Amino acid sequence: MAVYLHPSAPDKLTFVENDFGKPRLQLSQNEEPRLFFNMTHSADLALYGVTRVGELGVDVEQVRTVTDMEGLVARYFTPIEREAIAGADEVERDRVFFECWTRKEALIKAWGCGVSVPLEEVDASPGLSDVPRFSGPMPTAGVDTKGWVIHGINPADGYVGAAATSVLVDELHCWRW
């Protein structure tokens, strides 16, 4: 089944933001969105996610040395994530750190709540499960934290990324320009 957006001139498109700043395309006053999107960038790479099946969030990071990794991990990561990072060999530790971080960021961006969600209560551990866990209260009503799926993305050499979706996605297509 194909869903078509009404063709509009770019200056006729209306974007609105939720209370936390997440943008969405507003088609009309009473019409539900039929196109969901999110975007992110790191260094010289940008990642755009677009779908018609439901909310999503994306994040990408260039893998690099983290100067205060221990402090960041202690403050923003769950015990399971801390264990995954600590258990990685020295060569892979930065990559595992950013895998956890991009998965966590993609999820909170999909929820539309940004960093108002306590990051240390969002477990988005790579390799353990594609289904994230959240142990705290949501900062806004109406956001269901169950049923989300995180997809790892390898967007380019030296980068890691993630896409979080509100429904299981059978196929994830990536294009590079």
Side-chain angles (χ1 to χ4, degrees):
M1 176 171 101
V3 177
Y4 297 98
L5 293 175
H6 301 288
S8 298
D11 63 339
K12 301 295 183 201
L13 296 176
T14 303
F15 291 88
V16 295
E17 294 181 348
N18 73 6
D19 292 340
F20 297 92
K22 183 176 182 181
R24 71 175 174 84
L25 182 62
Q26 182 174 328
L27 300 175
S28 72
Q29 291 290 352
N30 300 319
E31 204 171 1
E32 288 294 316
R34 291 181 286 167
L35 183 70
F36 301 88
F37 67 92
N38 198 235
M39 62 202 120
T40 184
H41 67 87
S42 178
D44 61 354
L45 185 71
L47 177 65
Y48 296 87
V50 181
T51 184
R52 292 181 288 204
V53 297
E55 289 293 346
L56 85 154
V58 296
D59 194 47
V60 67
E61 289 290 341
Q62 182 180 40
V63 177
R64 59 195 182 278
T65 300
V66 179
T67 54
D68 185 24
M69 185 183 296
E70 286 183 27
L72 292 170
V73 169
R75 182 171 179 187
Y76 297 113
F77 289 76
T78 67
I80 294 171
E81 292 168 331
R82 287 185 221 137
E83 188 176 307
I85 294 166
D89 65 45
E90 195 172 326
V91 174
E92 287 295 311
R93 193 163 293 133
D94 291 326
R95 174 172 288 286
V96 173
F97 172 87
F98 283 113
E99 284 175 353
C100 286
W101 187 262
T102 58
R103 291 168 61 86
K104 187 182 294 270
E105 277 282 322
L107 186 62
I108 65 171
K109 288 173 73 177
W111 287 344
C113 300
V115 293
S116 65
V117 174
L119 296 177
E120 68 279 6
E121 295 180 15
V122 177
D123 182 9
S125 308
L128 299 177
S129 172
D130 287 334
V131 180
R133 293 167 295 282
F134 179 64
S135 60
M138 281 306 281
T140 184
V143 176
D144 187 0
T145 62
K146 294 181 177 35
W148 292 86
V149 179
I150 302 175
H151 311 271
I153 301 171
N154 293 309
D157 289 340
Y159 291 84
V160 295
T165 58
S166 59
V167 297
L168 182 62
V169 176
D170 293 332
E171 294 182 63
L172 188 64
H173 299 277
C174 296
W175 293 277
R176 293 184 182 140
W177 287 279

